[in-house]
Amino acid sequence: MTIEEMRQLHHKALSDAEAKRTELRLVLASRYRELVGSSDEVLRMRERSEELHQLVHALPHLMAKLVDSSKVSKAKEAKDSTTSSFVSESDVLRRELANLPRIIHRSLDNQDVHKAATSLIELMSLIATYTDKFPLANALGNAILKKDFELSPMVEAQLQLTYLHVETIPARALRMAKTILLQASSDAQRSASALCTLNLMQVPKPGAVPLLDLYFDSKAKLLHSLLNQLVTTNRNPLLSPSAAQQIVVETDNAEAILSQIVAILQHDIILHPYRIFVLRAFAADTPLAECDLVKTKASHFLAAHLPLIRTKVKSVLVSIAGTTASALGQIRQSLYDKTDGALSQLDEHWQDAVNAVVDVKIVLSQQQQGTTTPVDDARKFSLWSALFSNTFSSLVHSLLTTSFSSVHVKVVSTLRTSLANAPPFTFMLPHEAYRNTLKIATDLNVALIKVSDDAHELLVHAEERDESERRLRQSLYVQTCEIMGRLVCELRRMLIIHKSNNNHNNSSGPSSTEDATKEFLVGRLCHLLKFRLTALADLLNPQHSPAVLGGGGMITLLELQSAFELADDNDDGLITFEEAMEAVESAFSGTQFHGAEMIRDTLLLSNAKEEGNQANSP
C-alpha cells in the first residue's frame, strides 16, 4: 500500500466518525422528550408503590378496628333484645307469612317438590289456624282454628294476599311431581319426593294403591316413548360412506336407548319401589303400601312389558346388525355388561329387592305362555335371561339362515357362470375344468368355515357358554344339512333339465355336446366336494345332531325314506316340483301353512316350474 492510499483511508475513517457523531446528536435531540417523559413515569410509579406499601402496613390496624366495632354492635343488639323481650303474636304471624312463600318458591325453583309441599302445608296450617275463610287452606292444613284471637286489619289483609299468592302452588307441585315420575332417575330420593308430594297435595289423600298405579303408569309411558325412538331401517350392502356413517350413528343411538331401558327396569321398577315402599328409607310421609301389593304391581308390570321390549329389541337388533356377526357380538357384550355383568356395581340390596319385588312365577308366565313347561318358583330372575338371551339365540339362527342361503346362492351362481362360459366338450382342457371346479369347492369350504367362525363369535359369556354352544352346534348341523341338500338338489336338477331337453329334441348335435360338458363339470365338482370340504367334518359331526343334543325330535332314516317313496309318484328316484308341492299341501291340509310357498322359500325352487316349462317348450 502506498502512502497516498494510506492517506485516503485515514481521511475516509475521519469522515465516517464525524458522520456517526452527527447522527448521534440528531437522535438524542429527537428523542429528548421521550426520555424526559419516561423519567416522569418512573417517578410516578415510585410514589404509587410507596402509597401501597403504607396501606399494607396499616391493614392489621384497620382489621383490629373493624373487629372492635363488630363487637360493639353485637353488644348493642343484645342489649336491645333484653330490653324488648316481648314480641307480639301478630309480629310472629306476619314474619311467617312473609318467609314461607319465599321458601316454597325457592324449593320449586330447585326442583325440590317435597320441601315445597311440606312448606306449603305448613303455610296453609298457619292460615287455617287464624281463619276459616279459605277452603283449600282448611283442607290442606292440619290445624285447629283459634276463635279467641282477633286479627288486625293489616294482618288479615296479609293473610288474604298470601293465600291468593300460593293458591295455585298445589296444582304446580302436582304437575312437577308427575313430570318427575315420567323421567328416568337413578336416585330413589327423587321418586320418593314426587310420590310424597302427590300424597300430600291431593284432597282427599289418594292412598297407596292409586299412587302405585300412577307410578307404574308413568314408567310405562316412559318405556313406550323410548321404544318408539328405536327405528328399524333396511340395510343395503352397497352403501355410500355417508350412509355407512349414518348407520353407525343409528347403532350408537339404539345402544344408548337400550341402555336407558335396562336402567329403568333395574332402578325405577325394581330398586326404587323396594327402597321407597318396603324399606321406607326416605320421608316419613311416604304412603304406606303392603309388600305383597308392591310385589304384585311390579311383577305384573314386568310381565306386561318384557315381551313388548323383547319384540322391539329383536327387530331393532336385526336391523342394526344385519348379517355382521361382529356387530351383533359387540351389542350383545354391551347389553350383558349392563344387566348380569353389572350386578356387582348395582345397589347392595339388589338381590333383596328382586326377591321382595319380583314374583318370578308371574313374570315368566307370559314368556312361557302356550308351553307345557311349568314355571320354577325357585328360579332366579335375570334381566339378561328375560330380555336378551333367547332373543340373541333366535337372531343367531336367523343370521345363520341368511348366511347359509347367501353361500348357496353364490355357489350356484358361480357354477352356472362356469357352465355358461365353458367351451364344447371336445375342446375342453381337463386341467382348466379341474381348476374352475376346485375354485368353486374351495370357496364353498372357506365360506362354510367363515360362517361357523362368525357364529362362534356370538357365544355368550361363561355362565351360558355350554348351553349356547350346544344350541349353536345343533343349529350349524341343521343349517349345513339344509344347504348341502339344496346344493345336491340343484346339481341333480341341472342334469335332469338338460336330459329332458335332449330327449325332447331327440338329436345328437350341439345339445348332446352341451350335456356332456355339463355332466363333466358337475361330476368333477361333486368329486371335489366329497374330498375338499374339510369344514363338513366339524359341521356335520354326528354328536352335534339334534337327535343327540336335543334328546329327540328328528325323524329316522326309515321314516324319511318312506316319506320320499310316498311323494315320488312315478318312482323315478327324484321328487319334482309338482310332486313336492302336492305332498306338502297334503301334509299341511287344514292348517294355515301353504305347501307351495314353503317349498319355494325353503328349497329355493321358486323358478323350478318356469325352468321346467322352458325345458319342455319346443
Side-chain angles (χ1 to χ4, degrees):
M1 180 180 294
T2 62
I3 295 175
E4 185 64 26
E5 290 176 349
M6 293 178 64
R7 288 175 179 174
Q8 291 178 358
L9 289 175
H10 182 282
H11 181 70
K12 183 178 179 182
L14 291 177
S15 300
D16 292 341
E18 185 64 26
K20 295 295 183 182
R21 191 179 295 111
T22 303
E23 184 179 357
L24 181 60
R25 290 195 191 99
L26 294 174
V27 170
L28 290 175
S30 61
R31 298 296 178 89
Y32 177 74
R33 294 182 180 274
E34 295 180 5
L35 292 174
V36 173
S38 300
S39 301
D40 294 340
E41 186 68 25
V42 170
L43 292 176
R44 283 194 294 272
M45 291 174 63
R46 182 177 179 182
E47 293 174 359
R48 297 292 181 272
S49 64
E50 290 177 355
E51 292 177 2
L52 291 175
H53 181 70
Q54 293 175 1
L55 290 174
V56 170
H57 281 280
L59 188 59
H61 178 66
L62 296 175
M63 290 297 297
K65 291 179 65 176
L66 181 61
V67 171
D68 294 339
S69 63
S70 64
K71 290 181 179 179
V72 172
S73 63
K74 287 182 179 180
K76 185 177 180 181
E77 290 178 0
K79 183 178 179 180
D80 294 340
S81 63
T82 55
T83 56
S84 58
S85 58
F86 176 76
V87 179
S88 64
E89 187 175 354
S90 298
D91 293 337
V92 175
L93 177 59
R94 294 186 63 186
R95 188 182 303 114
E96 292 297 325
L97 291 175
N99 290 333
L100 286 175
R102 288 199 293 268
I103 296 174
I104 294 171
H105 285 285
R106 190 180 303 117
S107 301
L108 291 176
D109 293 339
N110 295 331
Q111 301 293 317
D112 190 353
V113 290
H114 182 252
K115 185 176 181 180
T118 54
S119 300
L120 180 62
I121 288 179
E122 182 180 355
L123 177 60
M124 291 298 184
S125 300
L126 185 64
I127 294 175
T129 303
Y130 295 98
T131 180
D132 57 354
K133 296 180 179 179
F134 308 111
L136 183 61
N138 298 331
L140 292 178
N142 188 12
I144 300 176
L145 179 65
K146 289 184 177 181
K147 297 182 179 180
D148 56 347
F149 185 83
E150 185 176 355
L151 295 174
S152 64
M154 183 179 296
V155 175
E156 187 174 0
Q158 186 176 0
L159 272 175
Q160 185 174 3
L161 289 175
T162 303
Y163 174 79
L164 295 176
H165 177 62
V166 300
E167 186 179 11
T168 59
I169 295 297
R172 180 182 174 187
L174 289 175
R175 289 196 301 270
M176 290 183 63
K178 292 179 180 179
T179 303
I180 291 174
L181 293 181
L182 287 172
Q183 299 172 355
S185 175
S186 60
D187 184 13
Q189 174 74 47
R190 186 172 172 84
S191 299
S193 299
L195 289 172
C196 292
T197 302
L198 292 169
N199 189 44
L200 294 173
M201 290 290 98
Q202 298 186 63
V203 180
K205 297 186 183 304
V209 176
L211 286 180
L212 279 173
D213 292 337
L214 177 62
Y215 178 82
F216 285 109
D217 288 342
S218 301
K219 300 309 174 184
K221 293 179 182 178
L222 176 60
L223 283 178
H224 283 286
S225 65
L226 290 174
L227 290 175
N228 291 333
Q229 295 178 24
L230 291 174
V231 180
T232 58
T233 56
N234 295 323
R235 299 302 165 87
N236 187 355
L238 303 176
L239 292 173
S240 62
S242 59
Q245 183 65 26
Q246 180 65 25
I247 289 176
V248 173
V249 174
E250 292 176 2
T251 302
D252 295 340
N253 292 339
E255 290 187 18
I257 294 173
L258 291 177
S259 301
Q260 293 180 36
I261 293 175
V262 169
I264 290 171
L265 295 176
Q266 289 173 336
H267 295 91
D268 296 78
I269 306 303
I270 297 177
L271 279 174
H272 291 179
Y274 174 72
R275 298 188 64 190
I276 294 173
F277 297 104
V278 179
L279 295 182
R280 298 188 62 81
F282 302 104
D285 49 6
T286 304
L288 294 174
E290 296 182 359
C291 297
D292 292 339
L293 177 63
V294 178
K295 188 172 186 178
T296 302
K297 294 287 185 183
S299 300
H300 282 291
F301 180 92
L302 292 173
H305 289 83
L306 289 182
L308 178 64
I309 297 173
R310 280 196 301 268
T311 303
K312 188 68 174 181
V313 165
K314 182 175 181 180
S315 62
V316 171
L317 290 179
V318 170
S319 176
I320 63 179
T323 58
T324 305
S326 59
L328 190 60
Q330 293 175 1
I331 299 172
R332 185 179 204 163
Q333 180 70 39
S334 175
L335 292 177
Y336 181 83
D337 292 340
K338 291 177 175 62
T339 50
D340 286 5
L343 294 182
S344 59
Q345 303 175 3
L346 289 173
D347 192 279
E348 58 182 357
H349 301 293
W350 167 257
Q351 195 57 48
D352 296 335
V354 171
N355 295 334
V357 174
V358 179
D359 189 339
V360 180
K361 188 174 183 180
I362 296 177
V363 173
L364 299 184
S365 61
Q366 183 68 24
Q367 181 178 354
Q368 298 186 1
Q369 186 175 4
T371 63
T372 58
T373 304
V375 179
D376 187 6
D377 294 341
R379 180 179 175 183
K380 292 184 178 180
F381 176 75
S382 168
L383 280 178
W384 169 258
S385 299
L387 281 179
F388 304 117
S389 181
N390 293 332
T391 300
F392 276 101
S393 297
S394 61
L395 279 178
V396 170
H397 180 76
S398 300
L399 290 179
L400 286 178
T401 302
T402 305
S403 300
F404 276 112
S405 298
S406 177
V407 171
H408 171 81
V409 171
K410 184 177 179 180
V411 170
V412 173
S413 176
T414 305
L415 178 59
R416 289 184 182 277
T417 303
S418 299
L419 293 176
N421 297 330
F425 181 73
T426 54
F427 297 98
M428 181 178 295
L429 299 178
H431 68 277
E432 291 184 356
Y434 177 80
R435 182 185 61 189
N436 293 335
T437 53
L438 177 62
K439 185 178 185 306
I440 296 174
T442 304
D443 291 344
L444 176 59
N445 188 63
V446 171
L448 292 175
I449 294 175
K450 186 178 184 304
V451 171
S452 177
D453 293 341
D454 289 344
H456 281 85
E457 287 185 7
L458 300 176
L459 284 178
V460 292
H461 313 274
E463 292 80 358
E464 296 181 342
R465 184 170 297 276
D466 294 338
E467 177 65 19
S468 178
E469 186 170 2
R470 184 188 68 82
R471 294 179 181 178
L472 181 59
R473 290 187 178 278
Q474 179 178 338
S475 182
L476 286 172
Y477 183 93
V478 174
Q479 297 281 359
T480 306
C481 290
E482 183 176 352
I483 186 178
M484 296 307 298
R486 290 179 181 180
L487 182 58
V488 171
C489 290
E490 190 72 25
L491 294 177
R492 294 185 65 186
R493 194 162 59 84
M494 289 180 183
L495 299 179
I496 292 297
I497 289 175
H498 289 287
K499 282 184 178 181
S500 61
N501 192 8
N502 185 26
N503 293 333
H504 179 74
N505 293 331
N506 195 16
S507 64
S508 59
S511 298
S512 59
T513 304
E514 182 181 356
D515 290 342
T517 301
K518 295 183 182 299
E519 289 179 1
F520 179 73
L521 291 177
V522 171
R524 175 63 69 180
L525 176 62
C526 292
H527 176 78
L528 292 175
L529 290 178
K530 181 178 180 181
F531 297 100
R532 293 288 182 174
L533 292 183
T534 57
L536 296 182
D538 183 63
L539 294 174
L540 296 181
N541 189 338
Q543 298 300 320
H544 301 162
S545 66
V548 176
L549 297 178
M554 289 189 66
I555 63 175
T556 63
L557 181 60
L558 182 61
E559 293 172 336
L560 180 62
Q561 184 176 0
S562 176
F564 184 88
E565 291 175 354
L566 290 175
D568 188 12
D569 294 334
N570 54 6
D571 297 328
D572 60 350
L574 183 67
I575 298 179
T576 62
F577 176 77
E578 289 77 8
E579 293 173 342
M581 185 175 63
E582 182 180 354
V584 176
E585 286 286 356
S586 300
F588 289 98
S589 61
T591 66
Q592 60 181 350
F593 301 102
H594 301 284
E597 285 74 5
M598 292 177 64
I599 293 176
R600 292 189 181 96
D601 296 338
T602 306
L603 301 180
L604 300 179
L605 294 176
S606 58
N607 297 322
K609 187 174 181 180
E610 289 79 359
E611 291 183 3
N613 292 334
Q614 293 177 3
N616 295 326
S617 62

